[in-house]
Structures are given as C-alpha cells and as structure tokens.
C-alpha cells in the first residue's frame, strides 16, 4: 500500500524511452528501426533527453555495440543507457566492451527536481535469471545515501523489478525508503503496467517493428503531479496516452509483507554448515581455486581476491582492468586466470605478486587448463593458445574461432576439446594446436552453441550438453556424432561418474538424470527428482567419494547419492546462480555465487 501526498517538488518535462533495439538480430531490420527512431527524436522540440533501457544488441559483440553506438550518437539531445541480458549474457568481453563504448553500465542524473537511477541487470556471460550486479547494488547504496528522502526518484532497469530478477528485493527494499515515483523497464517487448511491491512500474514496447511496418518507442510526460505514457511510431504518429501515474510524496507501508526467498531448506539439512561466508564487492562468476590454505577467485570488476581457508579473511588482492569470468588454476606456486581486459595473469599465490601476463587481442573469458608446463586457454579474439606456465611465452596459437570461448576445455587422449559461441566444438592436437576436427549440431543458431558446458569423456567418446537440450555423444577420433538424445531436457550442466560408467545431466525442471556411457545408444540409467524447480544455469555435476555435487540458479548447493538416488543434503547460500563448486575434501567444498558470496561448506 502507498500513501501519496501531492505537491512535492518537481517541474514539468518530457523525455523519450527507447528499449530492446536488438542491433544485429537475424531479421536485419533493427538498424533501420533504430535509425528511424533517432531521426524522429531529433525532429522533436520538446524532448529533454532519451533513456535507452537495454538489449541494445542481440549478442553483445563488439561489432554490434559499435553499430548501435554509431546510430545512437546521432541524437541531438542527451541520452542515458544501460545494457540488458542480450548485451551481457553472450558478451565476448564480459560487458567490458559496453562500458568502453558508452562509459558505464549504470547512470544517475538529476533533471528538474527528479533523480534518475539506472542499473544494469545481467546475467553476465553465464545463463541465469536476471541479476542486478553486486557492484551496482553497492553503488546504488552510495547514490541513495546522497539523496534527500523527499526527492522524487525514477528508477530505470532493463528487467521488471520482480522475480525475473533473482535479487529484485534488493532494489525494491532500498527504493521504498525513498520517494520513488515509478520504475520503467523493457525486456518484455510490450507496453504493460506493473506494481513492484507498491512502486508503480511500466514496461515499454520494443523499438523493433515486429509484424508492423515501423517500430516504436515511448514518450513520457511529467505534467504537474502526473506522468503520462504515450507510444510514438516514428514518421507515423503518436497514440493517445495509454497509462498515467499520480506523482507526489510517497510513503510506503512498512507493515506490508512481501514474498522473499526462503532459506527453510537449511533447517531441513542441519548436517551441512557454512564455516564462513565472504561477500565480494562484485559478482563472482567462476569457480574458486584452492591451494595451500588459500581460496582464490576473481570478480566481475576485475579484482582477484585470496581468502584464508580457515577464516574467510582476505589475505591479498590484485586489480585487473576487466571483469573476471575465468576459473583459476594452480601450477606450483602460481595462480593463473584470464581477465576481460584481454590478459592472462600469473600471480604468486602466496603474495599476489605478478609473475607474468600474456596479452590477447580481446577479452579472455575462458578458463585455463594445465598440461605439463603448458597453460591452455581460449579468448574472445578467435584464438586458443598454449602458453608456457613459467614464462607466459606462447607455445602455439590456433586461429579461426568465430565466437568467444567462455568455458574450461577438456584434455583427453592427447587432445584439447572446447566449445565456443560460434556453434562449434573444437578438438586440437595438444602438442601442436593443429585442428583435428570440429563439430556442430546442424543448427545455424549461435545460441545453441556447446560453449558453456565442460565436456567429459570415456573410452573414446566425448559427451556434451548445450542449450538445444540434447545430450550428445561424439567419437573422439573422428568428431562424428555417435548419438544424440533429448529424452531429458538437459541444458548446459554435465558430469561423469568416477568410474566412467555414467554421464550425469541436470534437467531444466527438478530432475538429475544419469545415462550409461557407450558408443551405440543413449540409455537412461535413472532419473531423480530433486525438487529444485525450473533450472537453466551451467553448474557442472562433480562426483567425489560416491557423492555428486551441483548448484542451481536459486543459490542452492545439492549433494546426492547416485546409487540410492537420494538427497544427502542441500544448502541455500543466497538467491543467485551457483557456479560449479570446488570439492576440496570428502567433507568440505567451496562455493561461489553470482552475487559475490564465497563460502566454505562443511558436511
């Protein structure tokens, strides 16, 4: 419930909202639609500025961002821009390219008595629910602390402020302490009215024409104590106001109870406890490494942090210039990982001192693997490289990849096997980097690429899962498809039993499945209902001492018994994506979540 008193300060003005441009989309008309909208805005004499609220591009490539910017900068009035899930989820730079092009992925400005606060919403590089980045929440706190409680606020996000964002409540709880007038968003490609826990909400249509002759955008007029929303179709006309919001001093009812994520599952399984919990100041979207009593990881603003395994206290940190989505590896006294700034870093794990760094032409989002004295890692510059672990010198480079490498490769039978966001799975000779074969599923759609899973192998067969929801078996020598099955709706999470007899997969709704390994057919061994609900994040299944561990999009880590198909335990860390866990012993593991939580669980 909202209590509204009219008469708060604020002057009349009018602005445009343009959203869901999808530059680079397959239909080829997005650029024309955006150009038409920009020209139409430039003809108006009463618009003060423009908000661009995400999904600026289709896949977040540097080329798409450059194309979008070349059109957007033609605007003759100020614009404020944030990314959407299409700009960040498949980004070849981990969002760095968007920030470099437009200056930031969030904004705050004041206009005629109103403060506009816009934040990005992810997900970044990994598939998951929308998520306001941890660093943006920290930043929002600093912005709000500097805001008078009676100043009128207009919130801007790509997603609606509901459970499409896994941490929607972090925004609404904060905004309800202030005089928030309304929140605007895109994402749904429709004009729609919302109630975000008492905060009025409005979704705008996409700028794309869809089945019409021209696209459209929004005019928002602040007149006295009312905001009016009108759809504008460039070169055609402006429709009558389809929605209005009363403005003024808002007092949100503090006694109103709203749904929040439940942690009751932690009471159900008291046999697992967190020894400590550390909250990084940015998202963590990788698997922490462990060595010599140290837990080491990077976060999405480029900081590498090392924690004491026993206490969770910070031992040292190191700054890079781009977000880190690369899971580190340990080689002797070095910790090695890639960064969105285009470098692979090797640091002394005891001190954090830089030993060497190797530059790529673009971001390095992929995770390294070790083979003797070589570090094997892919980048977003179309290359996969072997680097000397001691010096950073290049052993060999494979070129010709048409999309970013964002996951960890498989070493198997003198091969290095990895996927990329170019539809293909690659197999290279591990000594020379020569291409042995490359595979695709026959679909022209890049979004079905086997890019996110970490392949597994047994007895001459390589197994992968992908967003096409198939489990695929591939002959390791020839790269030929042996079999494919969509009997279970697996997506991007896979694992293999210690004895190699079973392939594990996480389905998109509740179930863990196990298929028997083999060349001839896909044979389902068992299916287990774990009750985790809808699920789509890439969190690989890890078997250790007869137990299988995995995470979900809602922050829950599971341990299951593959023989009895029973849950050993489950533990909820927070409400965001769980990265692949690092099981460091028979009774402990390290888990990191998208929201930047790193915890040591003991069981």
């Amino acid at each position: 419930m909202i209590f509204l008193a009219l008469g708060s300060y604020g002057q009349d003005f009018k602005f445009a909202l343009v959203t869901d441009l999808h530059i680079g989309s397959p239909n080829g008309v997005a650029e024309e639609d955006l150009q038409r909208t920009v020209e139409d805005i430039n003809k108006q004499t009463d618009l003060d500025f423009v908000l661009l609220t995400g999904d600026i591009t289709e896949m977040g490539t540097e080329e798409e961002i450059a194309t979008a910017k070349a059109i957007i900068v033609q605007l003759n009035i100020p614009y404020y821009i944030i990314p959407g899930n299409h700009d960040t989820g498949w980004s070849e730079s981990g969002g760095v390219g968007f920030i470099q092009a437009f200056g930031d992925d969030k904004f705050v400005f004041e206009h005629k008595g109103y403060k506009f606060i816009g934040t990005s919403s992810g997900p970044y590089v990994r598939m998951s629910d929308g998520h306001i980045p941890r660093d943006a929440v920290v930043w929002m706190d600093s912005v709000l602390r500097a805001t008078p409680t009676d100043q009128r606020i207009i919130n801007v996000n790509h997603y609606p402020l509901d459970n499409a964002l896994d941490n929607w409540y972090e925004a609404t709880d904060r905004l309800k302490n202030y005089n928030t007038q309304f929140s605007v968003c895109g994402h749904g490609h429709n004009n729609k009215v919302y109630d975000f826990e008492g905060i009025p909400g409005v979704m705008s249509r996409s700028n794309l024409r869809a089945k019409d002759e021209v696209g459209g955008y929004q005019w928002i007029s602040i007149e006295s104590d009312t905001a009016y929303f009108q759809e504008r179709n460039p070169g055609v006309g402006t429709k009558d106001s389809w929605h209005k919001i009363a403005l003024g001093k808002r007092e949100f009812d503090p006694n109103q109870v709203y749904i929040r994520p439940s942690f009751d599952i932690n009471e159900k399984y008291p046999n697992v406890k967190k020894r400590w919990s550390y909250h990084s100041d940015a998202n963590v979207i990788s698997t922490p490494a462990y060595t010599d009593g140290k837990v080491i990881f990077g976060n999405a603003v480029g900081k590498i942090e090392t924690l004491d395994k026993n206490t969770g206290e910070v031992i040292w940190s190191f700054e890079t210039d781009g977000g880190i989505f690369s899971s580190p590896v340990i080689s002797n006294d070095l910790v090695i990982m890639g960064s969105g700034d285009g470098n692979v870093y090797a640091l002394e794990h005891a001190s954090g001192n830089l030993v060497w760094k190797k530059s790529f032409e673009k971001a390095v989002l992929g995770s390294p693997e070790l083979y003797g004295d070589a570090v094997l890692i892919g980048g977003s510059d179309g290359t996969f490289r072997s680097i000397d672990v001691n010096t950073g010198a290049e052993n060999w480079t494979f070129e010709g990849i048409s999309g970013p490498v964002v996951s960890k490769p498989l070493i198997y039978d003198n091969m290095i096997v990895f996927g990329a966001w170019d539809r293909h799975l690659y197999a290279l000779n591990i000594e020379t980097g020569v291409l042995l074969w490359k595979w695709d599923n026959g679909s022209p759609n890049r979004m079905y690429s086997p890019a996110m899973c970490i392949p597994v192998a047994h007895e001459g067969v390589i197994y992968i899962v992908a967003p096409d929801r198939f489990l695929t078996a591939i002959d390791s020598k020839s790269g030929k498809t042996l079999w494919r099955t969509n009997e279970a709706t697996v997506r991007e999470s896979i694992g293999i039993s210690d004895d190699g007899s079973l392939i594990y997969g996480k389905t998109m709704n509740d179930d863990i499945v196990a298929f028997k390994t083999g060349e001839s057919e896909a044979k389902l061994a068992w299916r287990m209902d774990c009750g985790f609900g809808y699920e789509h994040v890439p969190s690989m299944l890890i078997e250790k001492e007869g137990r299988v561990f995995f995470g979900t999009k809602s922050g829950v880590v599971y341990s299951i018994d593959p023989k009895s198909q029973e849950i050993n335990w489950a533990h909820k860390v927070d409400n965001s994506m769980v990265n692949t866990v690092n099981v460091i012993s028979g009774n402990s593991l390290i888990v990191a979540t998208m929201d930047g939580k790193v915890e040591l669980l003991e069981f």
Side-chain angles (χ1 to χ4, degrees), residues 498-571:
D498 285 341
D499 64 5
S501 65
L502 295 174
I503 298 298
Y504 302 123
K506 183 173 58 173
T507 73
M508 294 184 67
N509 198 50
D510 288 325
D511 292 348
I512 297 298
V513 293
F515 284 82
K516 292 185 178 181
T517 53
E519 298 182 4
S520 58
E521 62 178 338
K523 189 172 182 180
L524 183 65
W526 51 260
R527 180 190 293 261
M528 175 185 174
D529 185 350
C530 293
F532 47 69
Y534 176 73
E535 176 62 27
H536 60 308
V537 304
S539 182
M540 305 306 122
L541 297 101
I542 308 297
E543 181 166 321
K544 179 92 169 181
E545 297 183 7
R547 290 166 289 182
V548 176
F549 304 89
F550 63 91
T552 70
K553 74 179 183 68
S554 56
V556 181
V557 182
Y558 284 84
S559 168
I560 64 171
D561 186 328
K563 291 185 177 179
S564 65
Q565 289 100 64
E566 294 179 344
I567 296 175
N568 297 319
W569 55 260
H571 185 83

Side-chain angles (χ1 to χ4, degrees), residues 268-284:
K268 184 177 180 180
Y269 297 101
N271 54 322
V272 57
K273 298 288 186 182
K274 65 181 178 185
R275 180 165 180 172
W276 50 258
S277 180
Y278 174 77
H279 208 172
S280 185
D281 56 7
N283 290 1
V284 177

